[in-house]
Amino acid sequence: MTGWSRRGVLAGATALCCAAPAAARVAPATMLPLVDPGYRPSDATEGALWQHWGRFEQDLAASPALLHAPDLHDYVSGVLANLLGPRARDVRLYIVHDASFNASMAPNGLTIVQTGLLARMRSEAQLAAVLGHEAGHYLRLHAISREHDVVHKNSVMAFVSVGSGLMAGVAAVNGVDGRGWIDLSNSVNAQLYASLFGFRREQEAEADAFGLRLMAEAGYTPDAAAAVWQQQLEEAQASAAARSKHYRPRASILDSHPPDAVRMADLTLSAREVVVRPAPGRDGRAEYRRAIAPYRAMLLDEQIRVNDPGASLYLLNALAADGWDGTLRFYEGEAYRLRGAPGDDALEAQAFAAATERPDAPPAAWRAHGYALIKAGRADDGKQALARYLALAPTATDAAMVRFALAQ
Ligand SMILES: [Zn+2]
């Protein structure tokens, strides 16, 4: 997958994909791994690629863009282990703060999962679908086969040579939380990065087929793969429909993986082929919700800050198909507040009010609800809500400001 830059991927796609006829469906049963456990580079060219990736990984390991969440890291690593079996020992996972829907797996085992991917998945099976696709690229040595293409090789060299400087610059610009790392990398070397993971159409078909096979073998329901792509297609449509002049399109996996009719039909056919067990596969919805719960507000916050209200509202509603809660309602209000279209005032106030009716409402929902009530002329109710906010978050950075508002 990947596609950290729309522009970069489109450039790559013109050169690599679009001139070629659509690839025929690949049958999952024909997919065999080219990578054994403990796999090492097989020749000098491959060795050079590994070295470059190794250097990139060193920088990434020290990057402020990394999410440090040992429990979530273990959970996602566990899903990788379910898919890869003994080969999982050769894979190292890094979760990176970035609101876009993306993930990638490099030939040396360096695996990057963007927080935007985790924000969007509704079940462990959906996460397995995306990781399985990446594992498909990895196990079929797709990046290596591209390395033997001279043009691509030059891109890799150029990319890696700017890597260290890029990471240092990122740390300086972003301070400690590292947000915006990907945005900066987009502006610096988007085309080069895209060239690293810009797979050919037939390689994408292989990765889809292999991913489904890995999912089924790990006991996940393979239907989750088509569901993931359908969800992302709908999100992209919602985003486009709501696009305003303030909206800047985000790079996403959709750039390099268009879920067109052919691809969706192939996924559905292949999903039927790989069902080998008498019992339907595991969806792992509750497990995923449990693992993501402590980070959900942060993930939604990152998405809201992208300022793509169409995509954000679609995502919140998609997640709410499993039940609304205080956190989802609060960020729904935030999405309306940021959109600021005619009538959004009322929708925003409604969402904040609904958030406070839930036992898990974040403290900020009480603050937002309080200000909305005051704005609507209900000063006493508003002050009560603000007092509730202060009681829940007495040390909040804006506590003094809220106390001042209460004294008015
Ligand atoms: Zn792919």
Side-chain angles (χ1 to χ4, degrees):
M1 73 170 60
T2 212
W4 285 18
S5 151
R6 189 170 296 267
R7 197 167 52 103
V9 168
L10 287 180
T14 312
L16 296 164
C17 303
C18 300
R25 184 175 75 92
V26 176
T30 63
M31 288 290 94
L32 295 172
L34 303 175
V35 170
D36 290 324
Y39 179 84
R40 302 294 302 163
S42 63
D43 62 19
T45 314
E46 207 176 325
L49 183 67
W50 275 52
Q51 259 186 9
H52 293 312
W53 274 111
R55 256 178 269 158
F56 180 82
E57 185 171 348
Q58 270 180 2
D59 290 333
L60 182 63
S63 166
L66 285 187
L67 169 70
H68 296 285
D71 51 343
L72 186 57
H73 190 277
D74 286 353
Y75 175 75
V76 178
S77 296
V79 176
L80 276 167
N82 291 345
L83 294 165
L84 286 168
R87 293 174 180 84
R89 267 182 277 130
D90 302 322
V91 161
R92 297 161 309 285
L93 170 71
Y94 298 85
I95 302 178
V96 174
H97 280 291
D98 173 35
S100 59
F101 172 61
N102 225 333
S104 48
M105 199 179 285
N108 70 338
L110 161 64
T111 300
I112 301 175
V113 165
Q114 270 79 349
T115 46
L117 172 71
L118 299 176
R120 284 166 173 78
M121 298 299 96
R122 285 175 55 198
S123 66
E124 190 172 311
Q126 289 198 348
L127 176 62
V130 176
L131 296 179
H133 176 97
E134 287 314 303
H137 283 308
Y138 169 76
L139 295 173
R140 294 296 290 175
L141 289 172
H142 287 161
I144 304 293
S145 67
R146 291 211 51 222
E147 169 66 359
H148 293 277
D149 159 355
V150 175
V151 177
H152 174 66
K153 188 172 154 189
N154 290 340
S155 299
V156 172
M157 304 299 171
F159 170 74
V160 173
S161 68
V162 300
S164 301
L166 164 68
M167 290 298 182
V170 165
V173 167
N174 290 299
V176 287
D177 82 345
R179 279 195 188 142
W181 174 64
I182 306 299
D183 284 342
L184 188 67
S185 70
N186 273 346
S187 68
V188 175
N189 62 356
Q191 298 209 350
L192 290 170
Y193 194 91
S195 76
L196 271 183
F197 281 117
F199 298 119
R200 288 188 299 270
R201 207 51 187 261
E202 56 268 32
Q203 292 178 321
E204 294 301 345
E206 280 199 5
D208 274 349
F210 213 151
L212 283 178
R213 178 171 168 169
L214 295 173
M215 284 178 78
E217 286 172 358
Y220 293 113
T221 173
D223 297 341
V228 166
W229 296 108
Q230 185 61 34
Q231 227 164 268
Q232 296 323 304
L233 179 63
E234 289 173 11
E235 183 187 317
Q237 288 165 342
S239 166
R243 202 165 297 172
S244 73
K245 63 180 166 36
H246 302 296
Y247 169 66
R248 189 171 58 83
R250 294 285 293 180
S252 117
I253 188 176
L254 289 182
D255 298 333
S256 49
H257 298 70
D260 55 30
V262 174
R263 182 160 183 236
M264 299 297 276
D266 286 356
L267 278 168
T268 306
L269 262 179
S270 295
R272 272 184 223 145
E273 263 178 38
V274 294
V275 176
V276 289
R277 289 154 195 260
R282 196 166 71 82
D283 190 48
R285 201 161 291 238
E287 289 86 342
Y288 187 76
R289 281 292 292 269
R290 231 187 344 265
I292 216 76
Y295 307 99
R296 207 171 192 207
M298 175 209 73
L299 295 172
L300 293 173
D301 195 61
E302 284 183 354
Q303 169 58 33
I304 293 289
R305 284 163 189 252
V306 168
N307 199 15
D308 180 356
S312 297
L313 286 167
Y314 172 82
L315 175 62
L316 291 166
N317 278 284
L319 296 174
D322 300 321
W324 281 102
D325 57 29
T327 305
L328 289 177
R329 283 292 184 205
F330 170 66
Y331 284 105
E332 184 195 23
E334 285 288 280
Y336 287 129
R337 184 175 66 78
L338 288 167
R339 187 171 72 174
D344 277 354
D345 274 8
L347 293 171
E348 174 194 331
Q350 241 171 49
F352 289 143
T356 59
E357 282 160 20
R358 308 273 170 170
D360 68 325
W366 286 98
R367 181 187 55 202
H369 182 46
Y371 284 130
L373 286 171
I374 291 170
K375 203 167 149 189
R378 293 170 56 188
D380 288 346
D381 293 339
K383 284 181 175 183
Q384 256 183 35
L386 290 181
R388 181 78 181 263
Y389 168 66
L390 288 176
L392 290 168
T395 58
T397 50
D398 64 348
M401 217 164 74
V402 175
R403 275 188 202 102
F404 180 77
L406 270 178
Q408 298 306 296

